[in-house]
Amino acid sequence: LLPTQEHAALKNNQKNLMNYKYGFEQIQQIIKQNNIESHIEANEHFVIYKHFIYQLDESLEDLAELNQQRKQTQIKHIDKLRTSRLWQLTISILLTLIVCSVLVYFITRYSFRISKELETRSDHDPLTGLLNRRGFENKIKDFDRFGEH
């Protein structure tokens, strides 16, 4: 039910309950005051009393049904919220992993470039750019090791 329909149904049931309560109270006063003159009148009041009980029972069943519908609606709403939150969590985790992967890639790339630059600086003369003694010795060792002439 829509909230306006639910509200109207609740108001209607409240009105019915108040009417039944008023009817019960009137019949109880008649019975307490012993204003019943014959068994026919007693039977009539009993039938009215029974009718009020039947109507009250129907109203209570309607209220229970409305309550059950409200609970089902709330459960569906909670399930939608839960699903939405799970998707949000999944997307945020994936985005975090992507950002971390990109950061690791750039950090690794940067550190590799710096290590190459440091290796080059350690093997070459900064003024001329030619191999220094250490670089020259490393090249000779490489030639001897790999048999390159």
Side-chain angles (χ1 to χ4, degrees), residues 109-123:
R109 190 172 149 206
Y110 181 73
S111 66
F112 182 72
R113 191 172 67 220
I114 288 179
S115 70
K116 281 290 192 185
E117 186 178 332
L118 288 175
E119 185 179 328
T120 302
R121 283 186 182 181
S122 69
D123 289 344

Side-chain angles (χ1 to χ4, degrees), residues 3 27 29 47-48 50 56 67 87 99 105 110 114 121 129:
I27 291 174
Q29 279 182 346
V47 168
I48 293 171
K50 190 175 177 182
L56 179 65
N67 190 28
W87 276 111
V99 167
Y105 171 75
Y110 181 73
I114 288 179
R121 283 186 182 181

Side-chain angles (χ1 to χ4, degrees), residues 21-61:
K21 180 181 176 186
Y22 179 72
F24 281 132
E25 289 171 353
Q26 283 185 334
I27 291 174
Q28 284 176 345
Q29 279 182 346
I30 292 172
I31 292 172
K32 284 181 183 178
Q33 294 172 356
N34 289 325
N35 290 341
I36 300 173
E37 298 177 6
S38 69
H39 69 285
I40 295 172
E41 189 178 343
N43 281 339
E44 287 175 356
H45 287 298
F46 177 73
V47 168
I48 293 171
Y49 192 74
K50 190 175 177 182
H51 174 74
F52 281 136
I53 289 175
Y54 175 74
Q55 293 296 328
L56 179 65
D57 190 43
E58 280 186 356
S59 288
L60 290 175
E61 286 176 3

Side-chain angles (χ1 to χ4, degrees), residues 76-91:
K76 287 178 185 177
H77 181 68
I78 288 170
D79 284 343
K80 285 181 183 179
L81 282 176
R82 184 180 299 139
T83 303
S84 172
R85 295 289 188 219
L86 284 173
W87 276 111
Q88 289 174 353
L89 180 65
T90 302
I91 289 170

Side-chain angles (χ1 to χ4, degrees), residues 107-148:
I107 290 171
T108 304
R109 190 172 149 206
Y110 181 73
S111 66
F112 182 72
R113 191 172 67 220
I114 288 179
S115 70
K116 281 290 192 185
E117 186 178 332
L118 288 175
E119 185 179 328
T120 302
R121 283 186 182 181
S122 69
D123 289 344
H124 292 80
D125 184 79
L127 191 58
T128 62
L130 299 174
L131 286 175
N132 59 16
R133 183 188 324 166
R134 182 172 181 259
F136 185 73
E137 289 174 353
N138 285 341
K139 286 288 183 184
I140 291 176
K141 286 179 187 174
D142 287 343
F143 285 138
D144 286 342
R145 194 173 352 164
F146 297 114
E148 298 177 16

